Amino acid sequence: MNIDDTAATVAREADWDTAPGLLDGAMQLTLGPEECDLAYWITSVAQGTLRDRGVTGHHVDAKVPDFLKEPGPLREALILEFGYRGVSEEIATRLLAPYVELAPGIPEMEFYATQLLDEARHARVFRNHLVELGMPADTLLRDVEELSADYRRRVLQPVEDFTLDIVRDRKDFAGGVAVFAIVIEGVLAPAAELSERKWSPLSPATSEISRGTSIDEIRHLTVASTILKDHLAAHPESRDRIVEVIQAGVRLWDEVPDREFVIHREKLFQEGMAAHADRIGDYEIWPGVRMLDTTPDQRYDMAERWTEQMAEVRMAYMGLPPELLGGAASAT
Ligand SMILES: [Fe+2]
Ligand SMILES: [Fe+2]
């Protein structure tokens, strides 16, 4: 992108009204760190995607319905979902600090600086949405810490330790890019897609917050793939090491008990969905399937299939055999 374009326009893939959905965007777009630099981020993200949505992640006209502010299974499901996602994004932000430090060139450094800010913002809008649901603002941080303690310890901590070993201890930038793009984001991104679709008929504010994060995730996934593809082309000798890192990351994700936590909140969602069936009606969560007809397992399995599809496309783009992902599909 040249300087004139950057100054004048919001890139189509970052414009709220024209950005593709996460699945299409992550599978069809190719973006690299040269185009998604700091100027792009300021113009297309801060002044584009985030225009009118910078504070809460949703437009002021996209409301939280009153029934989500009353106790009930839907509210409980949403608190768990956004509480966990907020903590995951906080960990993601902290993990990205060494990426900025290790980035081999200015384009990579600028890109990771923007991604770090994106994830900090995601953590913030997820967390603060809980206040919009009526949780007290003054005890929010402590309340979120409490409700997510098990998830953090059993699901996030192993992933955090694994990633820090690569980027902080071994100072392996490319290995770290692979872990973030294939394992960490690969799993967070389909959760964002499912969330946007699930909450769309129930809470415009919630759905918009997830939509906004999905637009960012398209960029995170595609730019990381390009960084890694270019790295592999320039350093073919690093291929075996990268492959090992990906395989170890996939094995790790296979072992963490993510499903248990997701299914618990999806069961609450199921209960709440039945109670608010009139609001959902014939709404289709994906083409040809009414959300009311889906089960917690089906929704989890669909997110898992999206993870698998998106990772396969990215692996092929990087010139790596998608079979490497092996157990990833069954784990996520
Ligand atoms: Fe994020
Ligand atoms: Fe991200």
Side-chain angles (χ1 to χ4, degrees):
M1 180 175 285
N2 67 40
I3 287 171
D4 289 345
D5 284 347
T6 311
T9 58
V10 172
R12 191 179 159 75
E13 70 276 2
D15 187 291
W16 189 273
D17 299 315
T18 58
L22 174 64
L23 298 175
D24 287 344
M27 293 199 281
Q28 285 161 17
L29 286 175
T30 45
L31 296 168
E34 308 277 352
E35 57 200 318
C36 294
D37 58 11
L38 194 49
Y40 171 102
W41 190 86
I42 290 168
T43 311
S44 284
V45 181
Q47 298 173 344
T49 318
L50 294 175
R51 188 187 300 132
D52 301 325
R53 294 179 175 85
V55 177
T56 58
H58 63 83
H59 197 278
V60 70
D61 294 339
K63 305 280 190 207
V64 178
D66 286 338
F67 70 87
L68 276 179
K69 298 175 190 168
E70 318 272 317
L74 265 189
R75 180 171 188 271
E76 212 181 316
L78 181 51
I79 287 174
L80 286 176
E81 180 179 327
F82 272 46
Y84 292 176
R85 288 176 76 195
V87 175
S88 308
E89 300 279 356
E90 180 202 328
I91 302 289
T93 310
R94 295 178 188 278
L95 283 176
L96 283 167
Y99 289 70
V100 177
E101 184 190 344
L102 292 175
I106 294 295
E108 295 89 351
M109 187 278 286
E110 287 199 353
F111 171 71
Y112 276 103
T114 68
Q115 185 177 343
L116 187 150
L117 209 49
D118 286 335
E119 310 300 11
R121 192 164 41 77
H122 295 171
R124 183 184 180 81
V125 293
F126 289 144
R127 196 172 58 226
N128 288 347
H129 192 45
L130 302 181
V131 176
E132 297 187 293
L133 300 176
M135 281 177 67
D138 49 353
T139 55
L140 181 69
L141 296 179
R142 200 173 66 225
D143 294 343
V144 169
E145 199 180 315
E146 269 167 30
L147 75 87
S148 63
D150 266 1
Y151 180 75
R152 181 164 184 167
R153 183 174 54 81
R154 296 176 58 207
V155 176
L156 299 179
Q157 189 70 50
V159 177
E160 196 177 348
D161 293 343
F162 177 79
T163 312
L164 283 177
D165 174 55
I166 295 164
V167 290
R168 190 190 57 198
D169 303 339
R170 290 194 246 161
K171 305 209 176 298
D172 177 0
F173 176 74
V177 174
V179 168
F180 222 97
I182 301 291
V183 184
I184 302 179
E185 296 273 35
V187 174
L188 291 180
E193 175 76 18
L194 182 62
S195 179
E196 181 187 339
R197 296 185 190 211
K198 263 169 46 190
W199 294 105
S200 162
L202 293 163
S203 169
T206 310
S207 182
E208 279 210 357
I209 293 172
S210 282
R211 164 79 175 146
T213 60
S214 291
I215 293 174
D216 295 328
E217 299 309 352
I218 293 173
R219 183 171 63 258
H220 300 167
L221 290 167
T222 52
V223 173
S225 306
T226 299
I227 291 175
L228 210 50
K229 176 191 169 77
D230 293 348
H231 174 87
L232 286 165
H235 304 278
E237 74 286 356
S238 68
R239 186 186 161 93
D240 288 351
R241 194 190 79 240
I242 303 283
V243 163
E244 257 170 48
V245 165
I246 292 175
Q247 283 179 316
V250 165
R251 265 199 311 275
L252 170 75
W253 188 258
D254 236 338
E255 286 162 17
V256 298
D258 159 74
R259 185 181 183 103
E260 174 185 326
F261 289 90
V262 177
I263 292 292
H264 172 65
R265 73 171 184 242
E266 287 301 327
K267 283 185 177 159
L268 289 167
F269 183 84
Q270 195 77 8
E271 211 184 302
M273 178 167 79
H276 293 277
D278 53 318
R279 295 171 202 276
I280 299 167
D282 289 330
Y283 170 76
E284 294 188 352
I285 188 165
W286 46 79
V289 177
R290 288 183 351 136
M291 183 157 86
L292 281 176
D293 296 334
T294 60
T295 64
D297 286 312
Q298 279 170 342
R299 292 191 296 275
Y300 183 90
D301 292 344
M302 185 54 102
E304 176 186 308
R305 208 169 313 155
W306 292 335
T307 305
E308 186 185 351
Q309 284 171 1
M310 289 169 40
E312 280 175 6
V313 170
R314 290 202 303 289
M315 292 288 279
Y317 170 73
M318 295 185 282
L320 293 172
E323 309 84 75
L324 274 185
L325 297 168
S330 61
T332 53

